[in-house]
Amino acid sequence: MSDDGEGNDEDFLCELVHGVTLPIQGTEEQMGQMRALLHDGTLISNESTLEVLQEVEMIDSMAGDDDDDSGEVLPALSSLMQSSVFLPPGDVNIINHSSDGRKLNAGYKVQLEGKSPVLVVKITDKNNLSVDGDAAYISDKVFGTSGDKINPAQSFKDCSFGKLELTYEYSVDIEDKLSAPGVVEVNIPISFQSSSQSEIRAATQQAVEEKLGLDLPGVSLGT
């Protein structure tokens, strides 16, 4: 979420089944309706469906065409990650517990029990900006690897009565790519300050995939 300076601090994303997240654009009235539905509890993240009465329009925000300097077509994923879903005219209608329409955040089964692998990404932008703390510090704050007893992993375990465990054990061997248990560090060639959340997310996913040498499933990446 981001603050637009006018008290409207919610941004909405449409998550497609293959993990691509696209910003939702609409009229001021439509976005106001969605914020009101979010605040009164009607719109529920990862559950609500946004009813669209006509085909949504994909608005490409990329400059130029889909070819890079070498003449090769860029991956469709990169194009999608820098586009938007624009709402057609009309009032916003939210449906819960339905498979109809286009989901605001969908495509993955929410895991409530067992081990849930988590990969934390520390991002450094082209201006050398990043969050404070090295990889070992972040690992400790998320997983308690150096003795921090108040961390997300412990909280999820306690709140689930031991049924849900956040882990840095993965189905593939990426240990030599990590800077600390559960933490990978990447650099992106764009600026946090002048780039959109979608652009940062796309650049980050590309950097992580290149470093790990594999394609990531749907992920939520932060800065």
Side-chain angles (χ1 to χ4, degrees), residues 1 19 25 34 43-44 65-66 76 78 82 90 105 131 145 148 155:
M1 293 187 180
Q25 297 184 18
M34 291 180 66
L43 193 162
I44 305 171
D65 54 29
D66 287 337
S78 297
Q82 298 185 47
N105 185 4
V131 297
T145 50
D148 191 325
S155 296

Side-chain angles (χ1 to χ4, degrees), residues 111 115-119 167-175 178 182 212 214-217:
Q111 183 173 344
K115 290 188 175 183
S116 179
V118 173
L119 178 64
T167 179
Y168 46 85
E169 298 176 359
Y170 310 109
S171 59
V172 294
D173 184 9
I174 57 173
E175 186 175 355
L178 304 182
L212 299 183
L214 51 83
D215 293 332
L216 296 177

Side-chain angles (χ1 to χ4, degrees), residues 16 18-23 58 60-62 75-84 196-206 219 221:
L16 306 183
H18 42 48
V20 176
T21 53
L22 304 177
M58 308 299 289
D60 193 352
S61 64
M62 299 178 64
L77 176 62
S78 297
S79 298
L80 282 172
M81 291 291 281
Q82 298 185 47
S83 302
S84 301
S196 68
Q197 291 183 8
S198 281
E199 291 168 338
I200 295 170
R201 185 180 300 108
T204 300
Q205 181 155 351
Q206 181 177 355
V219 291
L221 298 175

Side-chain angles (χ1 to χ4, degrees), residues 6 10 43 50 62 87 92 119-120 123 146 172:
E6 298 180 354
E10 293 91 8
L43 193 162
L50 176 62
M62 299 178 64
L87 300 181
V92 172
L119 178 64
V120 182
I123 312 164
S146 296
V172 294

Side-chain angles (χ1 to χ4, degrees), residues 21-99:
T21 53
L22 304 177
I24 295 177
Q25 297 184 18
T27 65
E28 184 176 343
E29 181 180 1
Q30 287 174 323
M31 302 312 290
Q33 289 176 342
M34 291 180 66
R35 291 187 179 99
L37 292 168
L38 175 66
H39 294 167
D40 69 16
T42 302
L43 193 162
I44 305 171
S45 179
N46 202 44
E47 180 175 318
S48 295
T49 298
L50 176 62
E51 185 177 47
V52 179
L53 301 181
Q54 66 187 73
E55 189 70 22
V56 297
E57 179 182 358
M58 308 299 289
I59 301 181
D60 193 352
S61 64
M62 299 178 64
D65 54 29
D66 287 337
D67 294 345
D68 61 15
D69 293 338
S70 66
E72 295 180 358
V73 178
L74 296 176
L77 176 62
S78 297
S79 298
L80 282 172
M81 291 291 281
Q82 298 185 47
S83 302
S84 301
V85 171
F86 193 86
L87 300 181
D91 292 336
V92 172
N93 185 27
I94 298 296
I95 303 173
N96 290 323
H97 306 292
S98 170
S99 59

Side-chain angles (χ1 to χ4, degrees), residues 122-136:
K122 181 178 181 181
I123 312 164
T124 301
D125 77 349
K126 71 174 187 178
N127 298 315
N128 205 35
L129 295 178
S130 66
V131 297
D132 293 333
D134 60 14

Side-chain angles (χ1 to χ4, degrees), residues 152-181:
Q154 188 62 48
S155 296
F156 274 97
K157 184 176 182 179
D158 291 344
C159 291
S160 66
F161 297 96
K163 291 185 177 182
L164 179 61
E165 179 182 351
L166 302 189
T167 179
Y168 46 85
E169 298 176 359
Y170 310 109
S171 59
V172 294
D173 184 9
I174 57 173
E175 186 175 355
D176 61 332
K177 306 294 194 307
L178 304 182
S179 300

